[in-house]
Amino acid sequence: YPRPPPSCTMAASFEPCREKMTAEGLPDAAIKAFEYSFNLLASGESGMIPEADIAPAADVPNLADIKTEDGSVHGASLLKESVVLKLNGGLGTGMGLDFAKSLLKVKGNDTFLDLTAKQVISMRKAYKQNVRFALMNSFSTSDDTMAFLQKYPDIVSDPDLEFVQNKVPKLDKTTYMPGDYPANPKCEWCPPGHGDLYAALEGSGTLDKLLEQGVKYMFVSNSDNLGATMDLDLLSYFAKQDYSFMMECAERTNNDKKGGHLAVRTKDNQLILRESAQCPDEDEDQFQDISKHRFFNTNNLWIRLDRLKEEIDKNGGFIPLPMIQNGKTIDPKNDDSLKVLQLETAMGAAIECFSKAGAVCVPRTRFAPVKKCNDLLLLRSDAYVVTPDSRLVMNPVMEAAPKMGLDSKKYKFVQALEAATELGTPSLVDCTALKVDGLVYFTRKNIFVGKVTITNSSSEPKVLPPGTYTNCTINLDAAPGLGAVCPKKMPTTPIEGQKPGTSGLRKKTAVFMEPNYLANFVQSTFSTIKTMGADIETKTLVVGGDGRYFNPEAIQIIVKMAVANGVNRIWIGKDGILSTPAVSAIIRERGPSYMSPFGAFILTASHNPGGPNEDFGIKYNVENGGPAPEKVTNGIFENTKTIQEYLICPDFPDINLDLAGTTKVESTCGSKVVVVEVIDGVEDHIDLLKTVFDFDAIKGLLDRPDFSMVYDSMHGCQGPYAKACFLEELGQQEDSLLNAEPTSDFNGHHADPNLTYAVDLTARMGLDRTGQPVATATPPPAFGAAADGDADRNMICGANFFVTPSDSLAIIADHANVIPFFRDQGGLKAVARSMPTSGAVDRVAKKNNLALFETPTGWKYFGNLMDSKDLFGGVDYTPFICGEESFGTGSNHVREKDGLWAVLAWLQILADYNSDPTAPLVTVQAIVEKHWATYGRNYYCRYDYEGVDKAAATEMMAAMTAASETNTGRSMGPYTIATADVFEYLDPVDGSVSKNQGIRFLMEDGSRIVFRLSGTAGSGATVLMYL
């Protein structure tokens, strides 16, 4: 880079950067280190190292030559004083990633992080001691990494497992002021390069803690280099040489000529590292001369921690590393955004800071990083194998790795490589060089021998036919293409407000019908789940909804986009209808196992009204059948803010949703087949419920002459399920069902099963809108229930009697043992309720010694508890019952609330009370009143203030939050506020924290007032007040 403009030289002040970093809570060590780099920049220092100032490094010993007979034994004795550190701060943005590169699958289903964890576990077993292991994560990788490592409890249980890399401001290239980017403030920051290792060790307190624990030697490597493991001969040599710092180097090849190299500074004969960004243009040829500068830095470093501490203290709290300038745009995805400088440092450059520093030349087996798709394809192929101790090494039958030359424009990002290898990874074990020009798709049946060149200058991808290709050039220009399954990139721009709530994204139908609105959200979802490892190529996508307006059209769009994103099998509910609990059942139960779904799009706005002028919604459910967790929904939202294009197969045929059956669409070239099956969406759910309940006992109840029931589907999607359950399975008459035909606008009604909107049911049951009994022309049925639009909610009534959702949850939990699903598994173990739900179930839990959880509103929190053992290796809380005051109840048979399950649970309880057909009928009211007599009664009421101004509602909530401390202790009439706070939930399963989950006023007598803003409204805001 040229020297800075005269207006900046010396005049630039570091103070704005100091203020920004201090406000962000960054430690002094980070601020001092960045100030040093900033001052170098402001003084006109370019950071360049001219060829005239250095000499080639010579006399670098080889690892094979330094090994001694006692090296391994001596090294093993030093392990108790050693720590293995992996640098894990990189997102791999240069490869199109927005998550930790270490979470990229590198061999089979194993990611870099999987293999690293397995290496550590293998080492601990081999040496029978707890070899210390640590990660330097970044602010961008910490959460994902720590969540991923939950599968390795022996690793993640270490309280000192991670410390977090610092971040520094991007600088305006003209003024050197901190860059400002209100559209996405995260873009204002960047990692300071891996040279931040030293400031992060010092600033986090990790360095002092390790020294206090007697740790002397640190081995550092990048997380994407799986060949870099703790080598006992190297550890022994490092200790015997009494080095302060040692760098592992390797012989440079043409593949490495652009990487940093080891050199000797001529003025003081000091070993230094010169990176490519530090080489003047006029010296580029000599920089790349691998016969002159023979050794490159592998970034495998050995550090004496006590000497590092001395050097930091000597320099006033930091290591003075050479500064590297990188010119970027402040938003890496927007070339038109502000031009900035990112100041970075290289950790290997610290070699020049230690007088007692050395280097060792190591074999290529200790260096297998991934910087480009070339590297990733090579590692994924048979050219590399995994050793028993989980190292990734070159296949021993090969003398050298093939030279890789994938088209740098077509394969710049991982997503392109994933699409190109969807049909399998080619064999490279006998290949010496592979060059690909244009976009070519491979299969596992492609075998390359010798030097192979493939070209495709056409505008669409071409699939290379199966076969062995030996020392040849293949031109695919005239080859048949993908035809109907050929993906097209469609330009788009971000659309504000696409943040999924607790139940997905909901807006007015007209909004979803606007150009690109649905497509942006769907593409953002695919981009997120693919980066998180969803197996979309071999598993199945489920699509369906509650039948509301725009449902069929949205399904066709999703199908075409799914195929473009690599999905090969799709199940759609007949007529486009699938209830939310049925989707969960299909994901969890429908087989065979190799077809099991990776997830589902559910098109629903739940209980909100439907129609062209009403609400529409979409939510994504994950592989366990439950709603996407926050890390997924947050990822989706982040992608919606930066999306520039979406993928779609515009020529893929529309699917006939009216008829069950299978459609197969084959590519023109015959390489790919997509299977779309329109399925009976009812069967899987009903079959599952038949394993949960005793249908014979329920039928006995329903057939009693003194018992009658009515079930109101409110013209939502429950109608087909209600018919299958009550008419076909339980043999009841059609008059037992109300409004069982789904319509796109719920027949003009609000399909919300409560006393306000379920007017047809309450009229039949003899209830007014407050739940009080009213006279009816004919006696009401003994039992009544209603479902909402997507059939996950329920309302339960008896004759002239309303059961509150909170009481319903408590009563089902108290009678769980009459339901076979719970009885046959040894009984109920745990219950959970959302925070605003009344404490009725708490009393049941206390009496029956059940684990009890109070969670935020949102079924995903219950799902985590259900999967505590299976997915997280934690406590088994199942069998499990849970519920919310908003008419949602369910169990661990699926991972959604289930309206039909709740109705059958009540019928099972009634059947148990009425097992003697000669005895008088025990009614719903009698059961509830018996419960009150046993446990006491929890009074409860909820008020919904709908369609209020969102900004004003947010301001009101903020004012109550700010007054929490003042309100605590206040008395109002007979009530005194013991605590006023904002509910925060620490998930006992994955350790995540959910903040701002409702404002609580907790009275001294146990009464509560709660305020929440609803995340499920289609427009405006809904303020919920719970008493």
Side-chain angles (χ1 to χ4, degrees):
Y1 278 86
R3 289 179 178 272
S7 61
C8 290
T9 305
M10 299 303 294
S13 169
F14 182 71
E15 287 311 307
C17 292
R18 188 192 311 279
E19 292 173 6
K20 188 179 182 82
M21 296 177 76
T22 301
E24 196 71 11
L26 290 162
D28 286 344
I31 297 174
K32 289 178 180 178
F34 188 61
E35 184 177 15
Y36 179 79
S37 293
F38 181 93
N39 288 337
L40 288 176
L41 174 72
S43 67
E45 172 63 53
S46 67
M48 295 299 175
I49 303 175
E51 188 73 19
D53 293 348
I54 61 174
D59 302 323
V60 178
N62 288 308
L63 174 58
D65 297 331
I66 66 168
K67 289 186 177 182
T68 60
E69 289 186 4
D70 69 336
S72 294
V73 176
H74 179 234
S77 71
L78 299 174
L79 285 175
K80 62 181 179 295
E81 302 174 78
S82 306
V83 60
V84 176
L85 175 68
K86 283 287 186 180
L87 304 186
N88 191 51
L91 288 179
T93 52
M95 295 176 68
L97 303 177
D98 54 7
F99 61 99
K101 189 200 287 187
S102 61
L103 297 181
L104 192 63
K105 289 182 180 178
V106 64
K107 207 69 175 174
N109 286 321
D110 279 336
T111 65
F112 289 102
L113 208 54
D114 280 309
L115 291 175
T116 297
K118 291 176 180 179
Q119 287 175 1
V120 173
I121 293 169
S122 175
M123 196 187 319
R124 289 175 177 176
K125 288 180 179 177
Y127 301 115
K128 297 181 174 58
Q129 56 180 299
N130 186 31
V131 179
R132 287 179 177 85
F133 173 66
L135 290 163
M136 184 174 83
N137 291 323
S138 70
F139 60 93
S140 300
T141 65
S142 177
D143 290 347
D144 285 347
T145 296
M146 299 305 286
F148 184 87
L149 285 174
Q150 294 296 323
K151 65 164 81 171
Y152 300 104
D154 291 343
I155 299 286
V156 80
S157 60
D158 184 352
D160 300 321
L161 174 61
E162 77 154 353
F163 61 98
V164 178
Q165 181 182 9
N166 298 301
K167 57 183 179 180
V168 297
K170 297 177 184 178
L171 302 178
D172 184 309
K173 192 174 181 178
T174 303
T175 66
Y176 295 173
M177 291 286 288
D180 185 43
Y181 197 58
N184 189 357
K186 288 183 179 180
C187 288
E188 297 173 6
W189 299 90
C190 64
H194 41 62
D196 182 59
L197 166 67
Y198 312 108
L201 277 169
E202 172 72 7
S204 67
T206 301
L207 179 57
D208 289 338
K209 184 177 291 187
L210 288 170
L211 290 171
E212 289 170 7
Q213 294 171 351
V215 179
K216 192 174 184 180
Y217 307 104
M218 173 177 279
F219 171 59
V220 187
S221 63
N222 290 332
S223 61
D224 66 346
N225 183 7
L226 293 169
T229 56
M230 171 67 80
D231 184 286
L232 298 182
D233 289 303
L234 281 168
L235 175 58
S236 173
Y237 177 77
F238 180 57
K240 288 178 179 178
Q241 294 296 116
D242 196 34
Y243 282 143
S244 301
F245 187 99
M246 186 172 77
M247 177 185 292
E248 291 185 33
C249 300
E251 291 272 3
R252 296 173 90 197
T253 67
N254 282 327
N255 287 338
D256 315 304
K257 64 183 181 181
K258 295 184 179 180
H261 66 78
L262 191 64
V264 176
R265 191 166 53 211
T266 53
K267 69 177 182 181
D268 56 6
N269 209 37
Q270 174 69 41
L271 281 173
I272 67 168
L273 175 67
R274 180 168 70 162
E275 298 284 0
S276 59
Q278 296 172 297
C279 177
D281 291 342
E282 61 268 21
D283 293 334
E284 188 67 27
D285 289 344
Q286 294 185 75
F287 179 90
Q288 295 189 24
D289 186 347
I290 63 176
S291 63
K292 180 179 183 180
H293 295 295
R294 293 173 49 206
F295 304 105
F296 73 92
N297 172 28
T298 64
N299 246 17
N300 301 345
L301 304 177
W302 299 79
I303 303 169
R304 270 281 297 267
L305 294 182
D306 52 342
R307 306 254 177 88
L308 173 63
K309 181 66 175 177
E310 291 170 3
E311 196 67 24
I312 289 173
D313 290 344
K314 184 178 78 174
N315 287 284
F318 68 99
I319 295 289
L321 297 176
M323 175 268 298
I324 302 172
Q325 301 180 40
N326 276 317
K328 306 278 186 178
T329 54
I330 195 166
D331 183 345
K333 296 183 179 181
N334 183 355
D335 291 340
D336 295 326
S337 60
L338 178 71
K339 299 295 187 293
V340 294
L341 290 177
Q342 295 182 190
L343 301 190
E344 300 176 5
T345 56
M347 69 174 181
I351 196 169
E352 69 178 59
C353 299
F354 296 92
S355 58
K356 202 167 181 55
V360 175
C361 184
V362 297
R364 285 278 172 158
T365 53
R366 292 187 61 75
F367 184 69
V370 171
K371 304 302 179 187
K372 298 180 179 179
C373 288
N374 279 325
D375 307 319
L376 186 58
L377 177 60
L378 190 59
L379 294 187
R380 286 178 172 178
S381 78
D382 53 3
Y384 275 78
V385 295
V386 179
T387 64
D389 58 352
S390 298
R391 288 178 299 117
L392 194 61
V393 299
M394 190 186 304
N395 194 317
V397 304
M398 302 177 65
E399 294 183 1
K403 183 178 180 180
M404 302 294 292
L406 297 180
D407 190 311
S408 60
K409 292 183 179 179
K410 301 296 185 182
Y411 298 96
K412 181 179 181 181
F413 297 142
V414 169
Q415 293 85 345
L417 181 64
E418 301 283 9
T421 55
E422 178 189 328
L423 300 174
T425 303
S427 171
L428 297 174
V429 70
D430 294 316
C431 184
T432 56
L434 175 65
K435 180 175 173 56
V436 179
D437 291 323
L439 193 53
V440 176
Y441 285 6
F442 306 101
T443 78
R444 64 180 57 84
K445 295 181 180 180
N446 295 143
I447 301 170
F448 300 136
V449 179
K451 184 177 181 180
V452 178
T453 299
I454 311 167
T455 63
N456 171 28
S457 60
S458 70
S459 60
E460 66 170 316
K462 297 292 179 70
V463 179
L464 182 67
T468 299
Y469 298 88
T470 305
N471 293 318
C472 60
T473 296
I474 305 102
N475 188 309
L476 296 175
D477 290 356
L482 293 171
V485 299
C486 182
K488 296 288 194 300
K489 293 181 179 179
M490 305 299 291
T492 188
T493 56
I495 299 172
E496 288 188 8
Q498 290 197 318
K499 182 176 177 61
T502 57
S503 298
L505 178 67
R506 295 181 186 172
K507 299 289 181 182
K508 289 299 182 183
T509 305
V511 173
F512 269 96
M513 296 175 69
E514 292 173 359
N516 295 350
Y517 192 89
L518 176 64
N520 275 21
F521 186 83
V522 172
Q523 183 60 58
S524 296
T525 302
F526 277 124
S527 298
T528 300
I529 64 173
K530 284 195 285 188
T531 59
M532 292 182 175
D535 185 3
I536 68 172
E537 290 89 4
T538 62
K539 294 194 173 185
T540 304
L541 175 68
V542 180
V543 185
D546 58 16
R548 68 181 57 231
Y549 191 86
F550 190 54
N551 193 65
E553 296 85 352
I555 288 175
Q556 303 295 348
I557 293 171
I558 292 170
V559 168
K560 295 174 193 289
M561 292 187 65
V563 176
N565 277 277
V567 179
N568 293 310
R569 187 184 302 105
I570 304 170
W571 292 336
I572 309 173
K574 184 178 175 295
D575 300 316
I577 288 179
L578 287 176
S579 76
T580 293
V583 169
S584 187
I586 289 168
I587 292 175
R588 298 177 62 81
E589 302 293 332
R590 191 176 180 91
S593 59
Y594 73 89
M595 291 185 180
S596 60
F598 64 82
F601 283 107
I602 308 177
L603 303 174
T604 178
S606 189
H607 56 290
N608 290 6
N613 300 314
E614 298 295 349
D615 295 338
F616 191 81
I618 183 171
K619 62 182 287 192
Y620 181 76
N621 278 32
V622 293
E623 195 170 13
N624 74 338
E630 280 189 273
K631 68 177 182 179
V632 176
T633 56
N634 288 342
I636 294 170
F637 181 50
E638 290 302 315
N639 281 331
T640 67
K641 294 191 292 186
T642 58
I643 187 171
Q644 298 296 317
E645 63 185 23
Y646 63 86
L647 298 176
I648 192 166
C649 290
D651 297 328
F652 196 84
D654 284 350
I655 302 301
N656 185 349
L657 304 179
D658 299 333
L659 297 174
T662 300
T663 300
K664 292 185 179 181
V665 181
E666 186 174 1
S667 63
T668 308
C669 62
S671 65
K672 179 173 181 175
V673 176
V674 175
V675 179
V676 182
E677 186 178 357
V678 177
I679 64 173
D680 178 352
V682 174
E683 183 179 43
D684 292 278
H685 190 209
I686 299 301
D687 286 348
L688 175 61
L689 292 173
K690 286 165 67 176
T691 69
V692 174
F693 299 102
D694 182 348
F695 268 47
D696 289 338
I698 293 174
K699 187 176 188 322
L701 169 74
L702 298 178
D703 289 344
R704 282 180 62 128
D706 57 351
F707 187 88
S708 58
M709 67 160 283
V710 63
Y711 188 23
D712 186 357
S713 296
M714 301 189 76
H715 290 291
C717 70
Q718 189 72 299
Y721 299 87
K723 290 179 181 179
C725 180
F726 292 104
L727 306 189
E728 297 171 21
E729 293 291 340
L730 294 170
Q732 301 307 295
Q733 300 300 310
E734 288 192 13
D735 61 4
S736 63
L737 303 181
L738 281 177
N739 304 318
E741 297 299 329
T743 63
S744 64
D745 65 350
F746 309 124
N747 219 34
H749 295 300
H750 193 153
D752 193 353
N754 58 39
L755 293 167
T756 300
Y757 294 114
V759 292
D760 291 342
L761 177 69
T762 55
R764 288 281 295 274
M765 300 306 297
L767 294 167
D768 66 15
R769 62 179 299 161
T770 68
Q772 298 302 307
V774 295
T776 56
T778 58
F783 178 80
D788 68 334
D790 67 329
D792 62 349
R793 301 186 186 214
N794 72 94
M795 179 172 72
I796 304 297
C797 304
N800 301 116
F801 190 84
F802 168 66
V803 184
T804 70
S806 298
D807 280 342
S808 179
L809 170 64
I811 290 166
I812 293 173
D814 197 34
H815 294 82
N817 272 352
V818 309
I819 299 172
F821 180 81
F822 302 101
R823 182 188 63 227
D824 297 347
Q825 295 185 74
L828 186 64
K829 285 185 182 177
V831 293
R833 62 168 175 82
S834 63
M835 181 270 288
T837 303
S838 91
V841 76
D842 302 27
R843 300 179 179 218
V844 173
K846 182 177 181 180
K847 180 181 178 182
N848 293 281
N849 195 29
L850 304 174
L852 170 69
F853 299 93
E854 181 184 42
T855 74
T857 297
W859 214 258
K860 58 192 174 186
Y861 301 104
F862 296 147
N864 251 20
L865 293 165
M866 296 178 197
D867 289 326
S868 173
K869 180 182 178 183
D870 290 344
L871 296 187
F872 299 94
V875 178
D876 185 1
Y877 296 119
T878 62
F880 181 92
I881 288 176
C882 48
E884 298 176 336
E885 48 72 36
S886 52
F887 295 87
T889 328
S891 80
N892 60 290
H893 70 295
V894 291
R895 295 299 182 268
E896 288 279 5
K897 47 185 173 277
D898 188 344
L900 188 51
W901 175 92
V903 172
L904 291 170
W906 265 95
L907 292 174
Q908 192 83 78
I909 294 168
L910 283 162
D912 185 72
Y913 274 97
N914 293 285
S915 57
D916 181 356
T918 65
L921 183 71
V922 178
T923 65
V924 170
Q925 182 173 348
I927 293 172
V928 175
E929 289 175 345
K930 177 187 175 187
H931 181 85
W932 292 341
T934 303
Y935 291 99
R937 184 174 180 183
N938 288 72
Y939 289 89
Y940 171 91
C941 193
R942 165 178 152 178
Y943 294 84
D944 292 10
Y945 299 90
E946 298 177 333
V948 301
D949 181 78
K950 191 169 185 178
T954 302
E955 183 180 351
M956 180 193 76
M957 297 291 284
M960 284 193 284
T961 299
S964 294
E965 186 174 344
T966 303
N967 283 326
T968 298
R970 282 184 60 189
S971 294
M972 295 166 292
Y975 296 100
T976 298
I977 302 174
T979 303
D981 66 5
V982 179
F983 182 54
E984 182 175 297
Y985 179 66
L986 173 63
D987 194 306
V989 176
D990 64 12
S992 61
V993 177
S994 299
K995 299 182 178 181
N996 302 315
Q997 294 297 318
I999 296 170
R1000 303 188 300 178
F1001 298 91
L1002 309 179
M1003 308 302 176
E1004 288 183 349
D1005 68 349
S1007 302
R1008 296 181 297 157
I1009 302 176
V1010 175
F1011 289 87
R1012 286 183 60 245
L1013 278 182
S1014 173
T1016 60
S1019 61
T1022 299
V1023 178
L1024 308 176
M1025 181 176 72
Y1026 310 84
L1027 304 180

